[in-house]
Amino acid sequence: MNRRPLFLLGAALLALCPLCRGGEIPPAFDATDEYYLAQALRTLKMTPHDLSFSKTNAESNLILPVVRMTLQEPLTLSVVADEVRAKLSRATNLTDIVTALTGAHPHWQPPTHPLHLPAVPPGVASAVQLIYDAALRVRPLLPKPDKPAFEAFLLQTVQDDADKAGIDPDLLRRDKNLEFQDDEPVNLILAASNRLNHAHLFQAFAELTRAVDEAVRELRQHHYTEEFEVSTDTPLGKIIIGGVGRNVYKEEAFLIIDLGGDDVYENSAGGANGLEGRPISIVIDLAGNDQYISRKSYSQGAGIFGIGILVDCGGDDVYEAKHLSQGAGFFGCGMLVDGGGRDKFVADTHAQGAATFGAGILWQRGGDTSYRATAESQGYGGTSGVGLLLDVEGNDSYVATGNQPCPWLPGHRFTLSQGFGYGLRPFAGGGVGILCDLQGDDHYVADVYGQGASYWYSLGLLLDAAGNDTYQAYQYCQGAGIHLSSGALIDWSGNDTYTAGHICQGAAHDYSVGILIDRAGNDHYEGDTTAQGAALYNSFALLLDHAGNDVYIGKDPKQSQAAGQDGDKREYGSIAVLLDLAGQDTYSQGQTNNTVWVKPWYGCGIDTEATPHGGAPFPARPVPLLLWGSRSEGRVHIHTRHVDVHNPLEHLIRVAISDHADADQAWAELKRRGLEVLPYWLTRMDSPDVMVQVKAEALIDYLGTNAVPALIDGVRHAPDDEAARVCCYFLARFESATNAIPVILPLLHREKTQTTALYTLGHLRAHAAFGPAIRFLRDDRELIRLRAAQTLGRIGDRRAIPRLLPVLHDEFWDVRFAAATALGQLGVEKFKGPAGQPPPLPVP
């Protein structure tokens, strides 16, 4: 129950990975910040340990340790950000970057496979030999190609039919006709993941980047003046060497080395594709204003079941590609490194530092740069992937335009970019997405999902170390965690402008953590709702502005500027904090400088002229040695049953929850036939497609108490615990349905249904649940204790009072407040708070 032992692990890890706590760039979150956060929590009758309230409340596969850690200990987000920024800012070569992200260290070996080349200038032969020998050595470590997994991934990722041309026609037909089983496409991907050895893949990546580093160093020791082009075939593929003139490369190759000139690459240019028998592909271009204009997918430093590396050492370059390009990996690793210049990057989806099951890196080492993509790009981490876009200096522009319309926000599109992590809900967690810009006045544009945000057991980081920057996005953005996930936007200096709409600027939704930290400058924040330190559905959100004269415009006074939320049907709140620690600041909602304000469920804002505080009021926090982590547990079985996809009712439901043109018509038909449809629909409550449950809930609300008989039968005849749990949950909205009590009581004896059974029995005021609820007050599980306390308050039996009083000292705030609320309901005057307000508690 007590999670503090993790801090002891942190001390050991900190000894191995010392943070850059001094120097020119301050830590993202220092002792002074910690002190004032503790003051805000004290105002809410909480302690820093309360930030560890339970957020990992759903089963899933492949959850990275760093994700679990940041959900459990939210302030470790700042420590991870410090470590990432420090390591990336110190990187001097490709291997440094790869080692920082994966933990893999290359083992240097001299060449052992002599390769005979045509006559080439000095240094070229030895450079080729270094790479060729390393490639032979690591080829056995690469993952085996899996075409079904790749096709399933494309179905979920790319939108235009032209890019689906190579997919099995039967898969395309079944996808269009909504005929897949619930878990079918994702299981094709996860089955391949069971065979993936991350350690081998990342070791191969480190070995190859070390060879490329050595090859570039060797090539730069010579001055080249000749124009020529020679090639030779090898067991690994074609090797092409070009001179200092203008070369046009159209052929695919294992290795291209170009010694200078303004070149044109119309091939994949370092796009490795194991499905095409090219698991390793490398390009080194030493100089020139080059054009990489393949305009094709899987190119320009991409690894598809393999490793692809593109290194351009300098010049004003143009890169144009489509999907999975420009530093992208899928069951592989891709890396694009540009040595500097005024460059332009244009791509489509899953690009510009993006990876799923692997690593994708785009490293731009200097110059004013333009980045443009549609989605899943510019630092995107899909399941078991780490995606990084690192820009060292220059005034840069990052634009993500979106690839699919957002159904709940007309005119907006999904971007999932600019430091974004994304998981395969509910089957598997996501990865780590990082956008790190070290210098310059930068401009960031995204739409829905982006800019230091994440979704479903993932981590997203946008880190900007210097410059006057502008951030523009709309929803789930700018330091936001969504659905059991963690996201942070951290800006260390400059006069910055943040503009967004909903759930933004240090916001969190559904068991998540969202943080925005701005360390310095006169900043401007503008958001519509759930903005500027705002949390929904049992989350933690923080906006911290450490210094400067700032302006806060939050258009919704109830849901912005340190606003929590009551959790709606979950019936317990969130923690939301806004801290402004210096400057003359302006608030749209009337707060003034040097004040403290409190908002419901449970929000606190502090504006003050902070005095420095030394020491560390919180215990030492753990720092992950490997950002990508490892599988923290075995495969969780997400139960799915085979269903008849041609059943007319099943098809009608599938159309109604789809994006098909006739979805509204199907929904209208479902409502018309509600009582006929509902019994079948309730047998599908174990579906991993969350929309099956969401739309069923809407139908139940439409039917009202007429739905109760079907719900009782749904519990009684549920095919598994999940379906029983969901039907039980729906029954809680009908407090007159006391005839459901005998059917629900047995669910108290089943681990996966206990929490929900307590919740519903409380709403039904089931006296038969009194004894079990008393026993559950001592349970090791936080949510069980919380629901037990709520149940006792609703039952109304005053014999619970002496049992509830000790719960006021529970280690977590949500359980304490549930106990206090219950005592108020039981008539204890001290805990009868005003209507709609949390009950009073002693200050800890």
Side-chain angles (χ1 to χ4, degrees), residues 374-460:
T374 56
E376 298 181 15
S377 299
Q378 298 171 6
Y380 168 87
T383 299
S384 292
V386 54
L388 166 68
L389 195 167
L390 171 61
D391 190 291
V392 174
E393 62 181 24
N395 302 323
D396 308 308
S397 170
Y398 303 88
V399 176
T401 58
N403 65 345
Q404 296 182 67
C406 177
W408 63 84
L409 292 171
H412 293 275
R413 304 177 76 84
F414 294 126
T415 49
L416 302 94
S417 297
Q418 297 173 10
F420 191 82
Y422 184 74
L424 295 172
R425 181 182 182 184
F427 298 100
V432 179
I434 307 165
L435 196 168
C436 182
D437 189 294
L438 297 178
Q439 292 185 42
D441 300 337
D442 307 307
H443 184 58
Y444 302 87
V445 178
D447 199 350
V448 180
Y449 297 122
Q451 296 181 0
S454 61
Y455 178 99
W456 195 258
Y457 283 123
S458 300
L459 172 61

Side-chain angles (χ1 to χ4, degrees), residues 564-781:
Q565 180 239 18
D566 64 4
D568 194 26
K569 294 182 178 65
R570 293 181 186 167
E571 299 174 346
Y572 69 103
S574 298
I575 303 176
V577 177
L578 190 160
L579 299 177
D580 189 293
L581 302 185
Q584 295 300 305
D585 309 302
T586 302
Y587 298 88
S588 65
Q589 297 174 13
Q591 299 96 330
T592 59
N593 287 268
N594 300 304
T595 58
V596 177
W597 64 95
V598 175
K599 291 188 176 181
W601 310 100
Y602 300 88
C604 179
I606 295 179
D607 184 292
T608 187
E609 300 303 308
T611 56
H613 284 74
F618 299 164
R621 297 179 297 270
V623 179
L625 288 173
L626 307 181
L627 198 59
W628 71 277
S630 61
R631 299 185 185 193
S632 57
E633 64 278 302
R635 180 85 176 267
V636 175
H637 179 61
I638 307 294
H639 177 73
T640 57
R641 293 178 297 108
H642 184 89
V643 298
D644 180 5
V645 298
H646 300 293
N647 179 317
L649 293 180
E650 176 71 23
H651 182 73
L652 193 61
I653 292 169
R654 289 177 174 227
V655 174
I657 65 176
S658 73
D659 58 359
H660 286 200
D662 53 350
D664 289 343
Q665 181 180 344
W667 172 236
E669 178 68 7
L670 286 170
K671 290 169 67 178
R672 186 183 70 81
R673 301 169 58 185
L675 292 177
E676 172 195 353
V677 171
L678 186 59
Y680 171 78
W681 204 335
L682 293 177
T683 68
R684 296 284 283 117
M685 290 301 97
D686 59 346
S687 171
D689 186 343
V690 67
M691 289 305 299
V692 172
Q693 295 181 13
V694 169
K695 210 69 172 177
E697 185 172 13
L699 180 64
I700 290 165
D701 287 338
Y702 173 75
L703 293 173
T705 55
N706 291 326
V708 169
L711 288 169
I712 293 174
D713 283 342
V715 174
R716 184 181 287 116
H717 303 298
D720 58 19
D721 283 349
E722 177 60 14
R725 185 193 68 79
V726 176
C727 290
C728 176
Y729 168 74
F730 290 151
L731 278 166
R733 66 210 329 112
F734 305 114
E735 297 188 359
S736 62
T738 54
N739 56 329
I741 292 173
V743 178
I744 297 171
L745 283 170
L747 300 184
L748 291 173
H749 304 292
R750 290 149 63 175
E751 183 177 354
K752 290 189 176 182
T753 58
Q754 287 171 337
T755 309
T756 306
L758 282 169
Y759 170 84
T760 299
L761 290 167
H763 277 267
L764 299 180
R765 293 172 171 78
H767 289 270
F770 178 82
I774 290 291
R775 292 192 297 272
F776 279 130
L777 285 177
R778 300 187 299 274
D779 197 273
D780 286 343
R781 292 163 293 175

Side-chain angles (χ1 to χ4, degrees), residues 25 126 164 211 284 334 416 501 546 568 606 611 705 740 761 790 823 833:
I25 299 182
S126 57
K164 298 179 181 179
I284 299 174
L416 302 94
H546 188 81
D568 194 26
I606 295 179
T611 56
T705 55
L761 290 167
Q790 291 176 332
L823 287 166

Side-chain angles (χ1 to χ4, degrees), residues 505-524:
Q505 297 168 7
H509 171 63
D510 189 23
Y511 297 127
S512 293
V513 175
I515 295 176
L516 191 160
I517 298 175
D518 191 292
R519 295 291 308 172
N522 302 323
D523 307 307
H524 183 99

